[in-house]
Amino acid sequence: MPKTERRLLIVEDDEAFARTLVRSFERRGYQVRHLTGEDGMPALLKEFLPTHAVVDLKLAGGASGLTSVKQLHAFDQDLVIVVLTGYASIATAVEAIKLGARHYLAKPSNTDDIEAAFDRAAGDTEVELTERTTSIKTLEWEHIHEALAASDFNISEAARRLGLHRRTLARKLEKRRIK
């Protein structure tokens, strides 16, 4: 395949959102393949050879997209990976970058946002620093997300690490759910 071809793999369990991304990127000249999770990824990587990937952080069945990021980066260290999430936290952003993602975007993100993230390889020293301190609620959410990431998004294990009852953690997650 010519080097200039742009081949995109989308790992997203929300079928409607994935269809929208597929159509939008195909209109922009990308060849696109879609998976709902890690199943079938090794076989697809043998025949498709993506140059770009968009990975949802939280996949069906509580699976972590971070595992997909790690697998994709191991397959090709030059692969441009962007992680999308409705559950943004500092802990998962740091882990995604460590595992090989180029960028980490909070949903809702559109095709323009994703394509801009593909093109931005360097960091930006001009990012505005905030003077506002972090709220208790935000700190709690970060701590919860850190425990979730450390336990591969296993709610029972994360609750144990946080010293919470599993149902209490589940209720907190339901309240913060971003659609």
Side-chain angles (χ1 to χ4, degrees), residues 3 5-8 30 49-53 76 78-80:
K3 197 92 166 139
E5 277 188 23
R6 297 180 302 176
R7 296 173 304 281
L8 173 65
Y30 288 80
L49 306 174
T51 58
H52 298 77
D76 180 358
D78 294 328
L79 182 62
V80 178

Side-chain angles (χ1 to χ4, degrees), residues 44-85:
L44 182 88
L45 291 176
K46 286 180 184 172
E47 57 100 355
F48 183 57
L49 306 174
T51 58
H52 298 77
V54 174
V55 179
D56 188 18
L57 180 66
K58 190 171 182 185
L59 300 168
S64 171
L66 294 177
T67 308
S68 295
V69 170
K70 183 177 180 180
Q71 188 175 353
L72 289 166
H73 187 68
F75 169 75
D76 180 358
Q77 292 186 358
D78 294 328
L79 182 62
V80 178
I81 305 168
V82 172
V83 173
L84 291 180
T85 185

Side-chain angles (χ1 to χ4, degrees), residues 75-107:
F75 169 75
D76 180 358
Q77 292 186 358
D78 294 328
L79 182 62
V80 178
I81 305 168
V82 172
V83 173
L84 291 180
T85 185
Y87 301 87
S89 78
I90 293 170
T92 54
V94 169
E95 291 307 314
I97 300 304
K98 282 182 181 178
L99 291 169
R102 177 171 288 179
H103 278 286
Y104 179 97
L105 299 174
K107 289 180 180 176

Side-chain angles (χ1 to χ4, degrees), residues 134-154:
T134 306
S135 73
I136 297 289
K137 285 184 178 185
T138 301
L139 289 173
E140 177 189 40
W141 182 243
E142 292 293 333
H143 191 59
I144 287 171
H145 227 304
E146 191 173 301
L148 282 167
S151 63
D152 274 341
F153 292 89
N154 179 313

